[in-house]
Amino acid sequence: MSDHSTIEWTDATWNPVTGCSLESPGCKLCYAMKLAGTRLKNHPSRAGLTTMTSAGPVWTGEIRVNEGWMEQPLQWTRPRMIFVCAHGDLFHEEVPDAVIDRVFAVMALARRHTFQVLTKRARRMRQYFAHPVREALIGKQIAQLEFAYSGNPMSVWTGLPLYNVWLGVSAEDQRRADERISELLDVRAAVRYLSLEPLLGPIQLNAQLLTRVETGSQAGQRFIDWVIVGGESGQGARPMHPDWARSLRDQCHAAGTAFFFKQWGEWMPRGPESWGYPLIDGVPRVRLTDTGEDGSDLGSGGDHHVWMQRPGKKATGRLLDGRTWDEMPNAAGGVAPC
Ligand code: SF4
């Protein structure tokens, strides 16, 4: 739980649930897993959630519901953007539906805040919302919370979707994007978004974005409102080809979707300097093709290769071709100027 976050696209983190298990290749260097097995390994919210291996800490698959943090957003008075479950996955298979109901009840009551929910378990998220009495179950939790706080339940519950809750899926490559975006598009949300970090290969979004526009009931409706792109951090990080990020930026702008370039991560292009990519001596370099999915193609041929260098995350920054991209969705699903 943190009233302040260093994550570039949010203000604070809220961790009603911690713990997870590896879901796909993008989880390999999970920062939350590393933290849970090192600096926070004795903290009640993390103790026993990881096991030490020769490759470092690994999630055990156990999750923890942090009762002491469950209602924290209700006590934060200043409105802020809150990333939900930054150290786990709210839709992990071990998180009971009733716990998720409570999280949504808190978000329904803390309407001064904007909540960003992000998951790799897109199918579970869709199934959760598809439950025939989901709104009634969340409404019951809201009434209990209101009673606890004021002794007088009020009827503020107007149902789903909550206008202050953004729902997103995380994907690292085309296969996971295809699987998870289709599930996300079946869920109603004030804002739908994608976190494509760590980006491990090229992703083509146009078909998913535009198909729904053509077949949707509301002409011109935008279905993906926001896309975040970033490279990988941590020891052993895999480089992100600049063309993968450029392509996503261009696809977003063609579809009217906000684009946020979060970071390069450990690796960055080696030149041109005029685009914000200095030549740094004494650091590792690789020749990266534009088709590599997980770094296995490093050093091989390819249609469009680029030399990458690894000066470390603090040095790589977040310029994409000479500028930052900090576009955010607005409440109506439009693009806010950056
Ligand atoms: S789903 Fe998220 S929290 Fe869970 S292991 Fe993967 S990266 Fe870590």
Side-chain angles (χ1 to χ4, degrees), residues 174-320:
Q174 189 71 59
R175 176 183 146 195
R176 277 76 188 186
D178 290 345
E179 290 170 359
R180 296 170 190 165
I181 294 171
S182 63
E183 305 279 5
L184 175 66
L185 291 172
D186 283 339
V187 176
R188 290 185 301 153
V191 165
R192 294 190 193 90
Y193 71 103
L194 312 177
S195 174
L196 308 178
E197 180 198 0
L199 188 61
L200 301 181
I203 295 179
Q204 188 67 35
L205 293 175
N206 284 347
Q208 287 130 343
L209 290 166
L210 298 177
T211 300
R212 290 300 175 117
V213 170
E214 288 164 4
T215 59
S217 57
Q218 194 177 338
Q221 186 172 346
R222 188 177 292 113
F223 283 89
I224 298 291
D225 301 289
W226 191 34
V227 173
I228 302 162
V229 166
E232 193 167 40
S233 309
Q235 194 174 6
R238 296 154 284 187
M240 172 177 66
H241 197 298
D243 282 356
W244 304 341
R246 289 179 186 128
S247 166
L248 285 160
R249 175 198 59 196
D250 295 345
Q251 292 174 60
C252 285
H253 289 168
T257 296
F259 175 78
F260 193 103
F261 186 69
K262 179 170 173 275
Q263 64 173 34
W264 278 104
E266 299 299 313
W267 296 85
M268 71 185 300
R270 186 168 170 76
E273 293 188 83
S274 59
W275 291 11
Y277 310 137
L279 306 177
I280 301 172
D281 292 331
V283 299
R285 306 173 195 175
V286 294
R287 181 177 177 270
L288 182 64
T289 73
D290 58 1
T291 54
E293 260 199 350
D294 58 4
S296 58
D297 284 357
L298 300 182
S300 67
D303 296 324
H304 186 194
H305 73 266
V306 64
W307 280 97
M308 302 290 290
Q309 56 190 349
R310 197 186 70 202
K313 185 186 164 178
K314 283 187 183 152
T316 56
R318 45 192 304 271
L319 295 181
L320 177 61

Side-chain angles (χ1 to χ4, degrees), residues 30-322:
C30 175
Y31 173 74
M33 180 170 72
K34 185 177 174 193
L35 204 60
T38 53
R39 188 157 62 83
L40 298 180
K41 70 179 179 185
N42 295 320
H43 192 279
S45 65
R46 312 299 206 286
L49 297 184
T50 58
T51 185
M52 189 53 81
T53 73
S54 56
V58 176
W59 294 122
T60 60
E62 179 186 348
I63 64 100
R64 185 146 303 139
V65 178
N66 299 304
E67 292 293 342
W69 294 342
M70 183 61 77
E71 294 160 24
Q72 189 80 31
L74 295 171
Q75 286 133 27
W76 290 346
T77 51
R78 181 176 55 79
R80 66 201 76 185
M81 197 80 78
I82 299 172
F83 179 26
V84 181
C85 289
H87 292 260
D89 189 331
L90 182 63
F91 291 98
H92 187 277
E93 47 274 19
E94 293 300 318
V95 181
D97 277 4
V99 169
I100 306 175
D101 290 343
R102 288 170 63 198
V103 168
F104 272 85
V106 169
M107 296 192 290
L109 289 171
R111 294 194 175 212
R112 58 191 169 278
H113 304 310
T114 299
F115 293 91
Q116 298 160 311
V117 175
L118 184 64
T119 184
K120 281 188 170 71
R121 275 88 176 172
R123 178 169 302 172
R124 166 97 197 274
M125 179 169 72
R126 178 182 57 75
Q127 289 170 343
Y128 168 81
F129 285 113
H131 192 287
V133 292
R134 181 57 57 209
E135 291 187 342
L137 292 168
I138 295 173
K140 192 174 159 191
Q141 296 290 342
I142 290 172
Q144 287 179 2
L145 273 170
E146 286 180 319
F147 187 78
Y149 270 76
S150 68
N152 183 25
M154 301 174 293
S155 52
V156 298
W157 178 228
T158 54
L160 296 168
L162 291 170
Y163 72 80
N164 64 328
V165 176
W166 301 2
L167 297 181
V169 297
S170 176
E172 60 271 48
D173 56 25
Q174 189 71 59
R175 176 183 146 195
R176 277 76 188 186
D178 290 345
E179 290 170 359
R180 296 170 190 165
I181 294 171
S182 63
E183 305 279 5
L184 175 66
L185 291 172
D186 283 339
V187 176
R188 290 185 301 153
V191 165
R192 294 190 193 90
Y193 71 103
L194 312 177
S195 174
L196 308 178
E197 180 198 0
L199 188 61
L200 301 181
I203 295 179
Q204 188 67 35
L205 293 175
N206 284 347
Q208 287 130 343
L209 290 166
L210 298 177
T211 300
R212 290 300 175 117
V213 170
E214 288 164 4
T215 59
S217 57
Q218 194 177 338
Q221 186 172 346
R222 188 177 292 113
F223 283 89
I224 298 291
D225 301 289
W226 191 34
V227 173
I228 302 162
V229 166
E232 193 167 40
S233 309
Q235 194 174 6
R238 296 154 284 187
M240 172 177 66
H241 197 298
D243 282 356
W244 304 341
R246 289 179 186 128
S247 166
L248 285 160
R249 175 198 59 196
D250 295 345
Q251 292 174 60
C252 285
H253 289 168
T257 296
F259 175 78
F260 193 103
F261 186 69
K262 179 170 173 275
Q263 64 173 34
W264 278 104
E266 299 299 313
W267 296 85
M268 71 185 300
R270 186 168 170 76
E273 293 188 83
S274 59
W275 291 11
Y277 310 137
L279 306 177
I280 301 172
D281 292 331
V283 299
R285 306 173 195 175
V286 294
R287 181 177 177 270
L288 182 64
T289 73
D290 58 1
T291 54
E293 260 199 350
D294 58 4
S296 58
D297 284 357
L298 300 182
S300 67
D303 296 324
H304 186 194
H305 73 266
V306 64
W307 280 97
M308 302 290 290
Q309 56 190 349
R310 197 186 70 202
K313 185 186 164 178
K314 283 187 183 152
T316 56
R318 45 192 304 271
L319 295 181
L320 177 61
D321 297 349

